[in-house]
């Protein structure tokens, strides 16, 4: 019984095995070809080849028989948090009631008057009015020392008087060091040798100018943000950064660059979610410098000028195309109605050529007429 063998056609240009030799059969059924990296074909050493394993995934190539490998998930490094000197924390400063400063000033003035009488500088009438007898010892070293002490006491007493207001605080410093914060109200006596920096600790609202932002698709926007904040730690807000208001503004700009803002006309839920995300980011960045942020909310969002101009041109083009389509539809309906009435009433008998010519003439006439009237 004859056997039938299947023969695979050879590609063009293949010489084939020499005459008289049989072609070897395949050793493996359904064999497949696997790609070999090029760098493994030109190795000088004859030793075993060791290929390092990489923790990446190569998708399975069709027809190669290669199995997919697992990909090790890439973990993003956490963003470093800003740090400030941990010892820079607000603490109350040592101040005295204002009565102490007033008393010191009065004592200094009285000491100067007594020294002047002692030196005989005061007129005799003034001495008689005070019930004192004139003395003529003159200005000597003792008198000058008394003048110096009394004057210094009066200057320190009156120069240290300050009025504390509600919602305002003073950050005191000396020789570059932090000496404390004064939050008390009323008449106080503060060391006049200390440097005072006034800080507003009231609840404040800041409405920003239009800032650059983007939506979820990367379209450029301009957003006006309303921030509700206050100074919580006066030491860090004053000494931790150069200007805490500028720092807060930069924090808001950085948050807008990371969070997509919803376009005008978005739903209320998406706008609230964007506001919550913005608030959380600004609270984390601004809390390091002693600023307490309550809310960051975009109150006005509009497209960037270049995007708004492009959208305006696109809207005009769409309206123009819609108007043209309406005109063409109206003309076609009018021509169809005219030809149908003429034919149905038997006013004219038209063959295909005449019908096409009539339709063409009516279409041109109607289009020209509508163009002149602007309909």
């Amino acid at each position: 019984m004859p056997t039938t063998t299947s023969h695979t056609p050879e590609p063009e240009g293949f010489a084939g095995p020499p005459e008289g030799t049989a072609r070897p059969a395949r050793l493996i059924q359904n064999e497949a070809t696997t790609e070999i990296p090029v760098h493994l074909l030109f190795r000088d050493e004859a030793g075993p080849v060791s290929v390092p394993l990489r923790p990446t995934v190569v998708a399975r190539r069709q027809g190669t028989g290669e199995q997919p490998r697992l990909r090790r998930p890439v973990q993003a490094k956490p963003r470093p948090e800003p740090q400030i000197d941990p010892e820079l924390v607000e603490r109350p400063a040592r101040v005295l009631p204002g009565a102490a400063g007033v008393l010191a000033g009065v004592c200094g003035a009285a000491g100067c008057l007594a020294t002047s009488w002692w030196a005989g500088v005061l007129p005799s009438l003034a001495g008689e009015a005070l019930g004192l007898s004139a003395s003529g010892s003159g200005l000597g070293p003792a008198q000058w020392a008394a003048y110096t002490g009394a004057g210094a006491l009066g200057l320190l007493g009156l120069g240290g008087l300050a009025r504390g207001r509600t919602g305002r605080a003073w950050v005191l410093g000396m020789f570059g060091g932090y000496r404390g914060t004064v939050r008390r109200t009323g008449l106080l006596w503060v060391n006049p040798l200390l440097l005072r920096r006034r800080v507003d600790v009231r609840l404040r609202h800041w409405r920003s100018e239009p800032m650059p932002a983007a939506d979820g698709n990367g379209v450029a926007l301009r957003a006006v943000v309303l921030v509700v904040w206050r100074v919580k730690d006066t030491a860090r807000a004053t000494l931790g950064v150069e200007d805490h208001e500028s720092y807060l503004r930069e924090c808001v700009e950085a948050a807008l660059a990371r969070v997509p803002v919803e376009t005008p006309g978005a739903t209320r839920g998406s706008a609230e979610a964007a506001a919550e995300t913005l608030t959380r980011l600004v609270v984390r960045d601004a809390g390091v410098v002693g600023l307490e942020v309550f809310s960051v909310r975009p109150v006005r969002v509009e497209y960037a000028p270049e995007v708004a101009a492009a959208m305006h041109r696109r809207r005009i083009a769409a309206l123009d195309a819609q108007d043209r389509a309406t005109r063409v539809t109206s003309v076609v309906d009018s021509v169809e109605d005219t030809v149908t009435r003429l034919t149905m009433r038997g006013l004219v008998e038209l063959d295909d050529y005449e019908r096409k010519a009539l339709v063409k003439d009516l279409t041109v006439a109607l289009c020209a007429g509508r163009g002149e009237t602007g309909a």
Side-chain angles (χ1 to χ4, degrees), residues 90-96 170-173 178-184 188-191 194 234:
E90 179 182 334
R91 60 178 182 270
R94 297 179 179 179
V95 294
L96 297 177
W170 283 303
V171 177
L172 306 182
Y178 174 62
R179 299 297 180 182
T181 300
V182 179
R183 287 181 177 261
R184 297 172 57 180
L188 306 172
W189 183 86
V190 184
N191 188 352
L194 298 177
T234 57

Side-chain angles (χ1 to χ4, degrees), residues 35-84:
E35 295 181 1
I36 301 177
V38 178
H39 68 279
L40 298 180
L41 300 177
F42 302 93
R43 295 179 60 90
D44 297 335
E45 61 274 10
V49 179
S50 60
V51 181
L53 297 178
R54 299 179 180 178
T56 57
V57 166
V58 178
R60 181 175 182 177
R61 301 176 184 174
Q62 296 182 357
T64 60
E66 183 179 358
Q67 298 295 329
R69 289 172 286 178
L70 298 178
R71 180 189 292 262
R72 181 178 300 173
V74 179
Q75 297 181 355
K77 296 182 179 179
R79 189 170 60 92
E81 297 290 341
Q83 299 291 336
I84 291 185

Side-chain angles (χ1 to χ4, degrees), residues 108-187:
C112 290
L113 290 176
T115 305
S116 299
W117 168 79
W118 180 24
V121 177
L122 285 178
S124 58
L125 294 178
E128 294 177 358
L130 295 176
L132 301 174
S133 58
S135 177
S137 59
L139 292 175
Q143 285 77 13
W144 284 115
Y147 269 127
T148 303
L153 180 61
L155 291 177
L156 287 176
L158 298 178
L161 292 177
R163 184 179 61 176
R165 298 180 180 180
T166 303
R168 303 295 179 90
W170 283 303
V171 177
L172 306 182
M174 177 182 286
F175 305 115
Y178 174 62
R179 299 297 180 182
T181 300
V182 179
R183 287 181 177 261
R184 297 172 57 180
T185 60
L187 188 60

Side-chain angles (χ1 to χ4, degrees), residues 6-7 71 107 112 119 147 149 159-161 179 239 248 259 319 346 364:
S6 61
H7 178 70
R71 180 189 292 262
C107 292
C112 290
Y147 269 127
L161 292 177
R179 299 297 180 182
L239 305 177
L248 178 62
V259 177
L319 292 176
V364 172

Side-chain angles (χ1 to χ4, degrees), residues 339-340 343 350-361:
V339 175
T340 302
T343 305
L350 303 173
D351 56 6
D352 293 340
Y353 178 78
E354 293 175 344
R355 182 186 295 274
K356 292 180 181 179
L358 179 60
V359 169
K360 179 180 179 181
D361 295 340

Side-chain angles (χ1 to χ4, degrees), residues 9 27 44 48 56 58 61 78 82 100 104 128 164 167 188 191 223 227 236 280 303 312 316-317 320 334 353 361 370:
L27 299 179
D44 297 335
T56 57
V58 178
R61 301 176 184 174
E128 294 177 358
L188 306 172
N191 188 352
V227 184
R236 292 192 172 188
R280 184 171 62 254
Y303 290 102
H312 180 69
I316 293 299
D320 185 52
S334 300
Y353 178 78
D361 295 340
R370 290 178 181 273

